[in-house]
């Protein structure tokens, strides 16, 4: 499935300490990209589950190492699929229920490649990018540990 990358393909990685609007990034992805017919995005949000209430979440990362890990994940996706633009935005700092944590967006000539690449990037971001999450709940603070389901998702690739 892999092939040449368009010389105009842009990879954008941002680590932000302020909220962002996913729709703005989706719109940016589609600009100046008439070679591609598919745009797929994923936005992860802070949840406040009834059975596991979360008042807030604090995310930390390892500057420099985090961006390098994301670049490696995207480069691997580009080796597997013919992709146009790729954007990964990730929040750090204090976040509250309903706020976006992560945005992954890809363009490709075909929808299957775009869907698969977006899911691949998100699966490996969860496993390989150095982010740490602390939840603030009514019972107190707790660090969020890696889930076995995230590991299983990455293993299928």
């Amino acid at each position: 499935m892999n092939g040449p990358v368009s010389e105009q393909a842009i990879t954008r990685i941002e680590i932000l300490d302020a909220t962002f609007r996913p729709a703005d990034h989706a719109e940016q992805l589609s600009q100046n990209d008439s070679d591609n017919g598919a745009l797929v995005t994923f936005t992860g949000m802070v949840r406040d589950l009834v059975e596991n209430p979360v008042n807030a979440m604090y995310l930390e990362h390892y500057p420099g190492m985090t961006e390098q890990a994301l670049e490696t994940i995207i480069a691997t996706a580009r080796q597997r699929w013919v992709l146009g633009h790729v954007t990964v935005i990730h929040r750090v700092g204090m976040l509250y229920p309903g706020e976006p944590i992560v945005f992954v967006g890809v363009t490709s000539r075909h929808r299957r490649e775009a869907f698969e690449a977006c899911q691949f990037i998100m699966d490996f971001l969860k496993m390989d990018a150095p982010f740490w999450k602390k939840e603030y709940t009514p019972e107190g603070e707790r660090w969020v540990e890696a889930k076995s389901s995230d590991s299983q998702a990455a293993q299928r690739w």
Side-chain angles (χ1 to χ4, degrees):
M1 258 202 266
N2 60 0
V5 175
S6 166
E7 289 181 26
Q8 299 160 349
I10 297 169
T11 295
R12 203 170 101 230
I13 297 168
E14 291 186 46
I15 309 299
L16 303 174
D17 61 3
T19 194
F20 64 90
R21 288 179 24 88
D24 293 345
H25 297 288
E27 184 178 336
Q28 265 187 324
L29 275 166
S30 64
Q31 292 176 352
N32 302 316
D33 195 16
S34 60
D35 290 345
N36 292 295
L39 165 63
V40 172
T41 68
F42 170 82
T43 302
M45 314 287 285
V46 178
R47 294 180 290 180
D48 182 13
L49 302 174
V50 173
E51 66 276 2
N52 236 350
V54 173
N55 299 329
M57 179 182 289
Y58 185 79
L59 276 94
E60 295 181 0
H61 77 298
Y62 193 102
M65 184 184 282
T66 303
E67 292 85 350
Q68 181 59 49
L70 294 172
E71 287 174 14
T72 299
I73 293 165
I74 293 168
T76 303
R78 287 191 181 282
Q79 290 172 355
R80 295 183 67 142
W81 298 279
V82 179
L83 303 177
H85 301 327
V86 177
T87 297
V88 175
I89 310 293
H90 207 294
R91 281 283 309 276
V92 294
M94 193 63 78
L95 292 90
Y96 298 93
E99 290 186 337
I101 301 172
V102 61
F103 172 89
V104 175
V106 301
T107 65
S108 184
R109 291 187 178 147
H110 306 287
R111 70 180 181 273
R112 182 176 180 172
E113 290 177 322
F115 276 112
E116 289 177 356
C118 189
Q119 190 167 16
F120 174 91
I121 291 167
M122 191 62 222
D123 285 347
F124 278 89
L125 181 154
K126 294 279 288 183
M127 291 299 305
D128 295 345
F131 289 100
W132 298 274
K133 298 177 188 177
K134 182 190 286 186
E135 292 179 336
Y136 294 85
T137 72
E139 290 81 36
E141 302 172 6
R142 66 175 174 244
W143 287 100
V144 178
E145 296 191 24
K147 297 177 187 173
S148 62
S149 59
D150 292 335
S151 176
Q152 291 168 354
Q155 287 176 4
R156 72 186 179 93
W157 297 106

